[in-house]
């Protein structure tokens, strides 16, 4: 009976065969990233300053004492975030770090299954193991676990926010994103979505929860004003190391300040045009609109604001998942060349081409985010110009292969996988 499971006929369909192939690869990749790569750790240790801050908070010691003249990871979370993370210091540093790694890995997996549900894909479809294998093979998930930072939980909050927003669960959507604001405001650009969709209740919990948590944490912290006086000014600066934003890499490579600003303005303009086209012609195609707009907002914030780090790119997973939609802006090879730039774990340092390799390595995520914004802009503008030329703007700007014989937009559904 056991040996029969290995007979060729157990793979009755192509989907079954792909599942047989991908699930072992996905499971073993997840185990390796957690048990080996993450537990081994790295020279970059994002967890140590968080643990020390949590320990100091519990013992009523000063938290905001970082020396910002060094390039080591600094503790930058506000008192509300320190309070939320304080329980990690109840265990010894090693066991606490392992549990934190596990929590973030589980959060990533839950987020991926929520994405499958959002796009109407079953957990037992071939999409599930492919998605898990692909996600845990990226630099962003691998380094999030290895550096032991909180981005896995932030991804879960982002996907939960989008999932609940689409289902009109406004207060719960606001709660999901509001908890992240209590730690760091990286998802703040996504508040444009409930703003333009008129889902005002989102703001009740999105703003209320971090304010309440800050009010509770402020008197419990030993040095809350030091966050304002010492840490907050640093957060407003643009550093020239470990910073893949235009301003960070531009400063590192010595670009003239006017050129840096010209690049930021140019990409901001492309982003603004893309946002307008998405709102004008796609806001009623809710799944496509919300996920594509979210990806554009996040990519733009990584590229244009003061700090962008490559492992933030997991927050673009909802945009990448739109590839299963027939009208996705991701159905072209330049989009996935861009994804290679901000997701690939390949190191481009070269002993033969030293300067060139170093430049590609440091600029890879910057190029990836830039190309992604260019692709979205180019696809949407081309669709607009084509529809205008053909006199069908009143029926939308989807490409002609999505328009039926009567000139009406065909229903856009996820591809069956």
């Amino acid at each position: 009976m056991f040996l029969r499971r290995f007979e060729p006929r157990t793979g009755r369909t192509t989907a079954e065969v792909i599942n047989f192939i991908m699930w072992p690869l996905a499971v073993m990749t997840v185990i390796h990233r957690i048990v080996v790569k993450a537990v081994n750790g790295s020279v970059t240790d994002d967890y140590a300053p968080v643990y020390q801050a949590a320990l100091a908070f519990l013992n009523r010691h000063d938290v905001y004492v970082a020396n910002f003249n060094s390039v080591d990871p600094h503790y930058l979370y506000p008192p509300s975030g320190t309070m939320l993370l304080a329980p990690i210091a109840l265990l010894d540093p090693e066991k606490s770090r392992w549990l934190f790694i596990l929590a973030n890995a589980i959060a990533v997996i839950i987020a991926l299954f929520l994405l499958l549900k959002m796009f109407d894909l079953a957990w037992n479809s071939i999409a599930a193991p492919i998605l898990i294998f692909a996600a845990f093979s990226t630099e962003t998930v691998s380094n999030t676990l290895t550096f032991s930072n909180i981005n896995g939980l932030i991804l879960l909050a982002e996907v939960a926010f989008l999932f609940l927003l689409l289902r009109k669960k406004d207060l719960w959507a606001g709660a999901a994103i509001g908890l992240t604001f209590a730690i760091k405001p990286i998802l703040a650009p996504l508040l444009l979505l409930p703003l333009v969709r008129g889902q005002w209740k989102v703001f009740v919990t999105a703003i209320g929860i971090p304010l309440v948590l800050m009010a509770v944490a402020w008197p419990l912290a030993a040095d809350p004003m030091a966050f304002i006086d010492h840490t907050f000014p640093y957060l407003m600066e643009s550093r020239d190391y470990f910073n893949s934003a235009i301003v960070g890499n531009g400063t590192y490579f010595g670009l003239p300040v006017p050129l840096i600003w010209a690049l930021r303005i140019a990409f901001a303009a492309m982003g603004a045009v893309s946002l307008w086209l998405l709102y004008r012609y796609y806001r009623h195609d809710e799944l496509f609109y919300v996920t594509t707009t979210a990806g554009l907002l996040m990519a733009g914030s990584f590229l244009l604001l003061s700090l962008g780090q490559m492992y933030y790119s997991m927050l673009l997973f909802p945009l990448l998942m739109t590839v299963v939609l027939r009208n996705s802006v991701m159905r072209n090879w330049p989009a996935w060349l861009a994804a290679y730039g901000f997701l690939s774990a390949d190191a481009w340092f070269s002993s033969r081409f030293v300067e060139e390799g170093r430049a590609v390595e440091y600029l890879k995520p910057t190029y990836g985010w830039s190309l992604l914004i260019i692709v979205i802009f180019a696809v949407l503008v081309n669709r607009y110009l084509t529809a205008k030329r053909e006199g069908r703007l009143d029926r939308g700007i989807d490409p002609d292969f999505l328009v039926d014989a009567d000139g009406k937009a065909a229903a856009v559904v996820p591809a069956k996988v």
Side-chain angles (χ1 to χ4, degrees), residues 27-39:
V27 170
M28 294 309 297
T29 299
V30 171
I31 292 172
H32 175 267
R33 295 303 187 268
I34 298 171
V35 177
V36 179
K37 198 169 180 63
V39 170

Side-chain angles (χ1 to χ4, degrees), residues 59-325:
N59 289 289
R60 300 284 295 178
H61 295 161
D62 289 348
V63 171
Y64 301 103
V65 294
N67 176 14
F68 295 132
N69 292 320
S70 74
V71 298
D72 295 327
H74 305 303
Y75 185 73
L76 304 173
Y77 301 157
S80 55
T82 311
M83 182 181 70
L84 286 178
L85 295 170
I88 67 174
L90 296 174
L91 298 175
D92 66 83
E94 184 177 54
K95 290 186 179 64
S96 175
R97 179 174 170 270
W98 289 358
L99 283 175
F100 197 72
I101 291 167
L102 183 61
N104 276 275
I106 292 172
V108 171
I109 293 171
I110 294 173
L112 297 179
F113 277 96
L114 272 179
L115 277 177
L116 290 173
K117 186 172 180 60
M118 189 187 304
F119 284 87
D120 198 25
L121 297 169
W123 68 270
N124 58 352
S125 70
I126 63 173
I130 292 173
L131 182 60
I132 293 171
F133 174 74
F136 277 81
S137 298
T138 62
E139 184 275 349
T140 177
V141 172
S142 183
N143 277 354
T144 285
L145 300 178
T146 304
F147 298 166
S148 309
N149 62 50
I150 201 170
N151 289 330
L153 292 166
I154 298 294
L155 171 66
L156 176 56
E158 179 201 25
V159 175
F161 168 73
L162 299 177
F163 184 87
L164 293 165
L165 195 72
L166 285 166
R167 281 155 180 75
K168 306 298 191 295
K169 306 291 186 181
D170 294 357
L171 291 175
W172 285 108
I177 201 171
L179 284 171
T180 71
F181 294 160
I183 299 172
K184 58 180 180 179
I186 190 170
L187 298 180
L190 297 184
L191 288 180
L192 180 66
L193 285 167
L195 180 66
V196 299
R197 285 163 57 88
Q199 293 177 257
W200 308 111
K201 290 182 181 178
V202 169
F203 294 93
V204 175
T205 43
I207 297 173
I209 286 177
L211 287 178
V212 169
L213 290 173
M214 183 67 84
V216 174
W218 197 267
L220 297 177
D223 59 339
M225 282 306 300
F227 174 75
I228 304 297
D229 299 332
H230 179 63
T231 304
F232 191 74
Y234 176 78
L235 290 172
M236 296 297 101
E237 297 175 359
S238 298
R239 70 193 196 198
D240 62 355
Y241 63 92
F242 302 143
N243 185 0
S244 298
I246 287 175
V247 64
N249 263 331
T251 303
Y252 178 81
F253 284 99
L255 295 185
V257 173
L259 179 56
I260 292 174
W261 274 105
L263 288 170
R264 295 173 85 180
I265 292 169
F267 279 100
M270 282 188 280
V273 170
S274 300
L275 287 172
W276 181 83
L277 289 171
L278 284 167
Y279 178 77
R280 175 66 179 82
Y281 295 103
Y282 285 107
R283 66 183 183 273
H284 300 299
D285 183 357
E286 291 191 322
L287 179 60
F288 172 83
Y289 173 72
V290 166
T291 50
T292 305
T293 301
L296 178 59
L297 289 168
M298 295 314 302
S301 68
F302 305 155
L303 188 67
L304 301 176
L305 298 183
S306 61
L307 178 64
Q309 295 185 292
M310 188 170 172
Y311 54 52
Y312 292 170
S313 298
M314 72 166 65
L315 302 177
L316 300 178
F317 284 176
L319 170 63
L320 301 183
M321 273 295 294
T322 65
V323 72
V324 303
L325 302 178

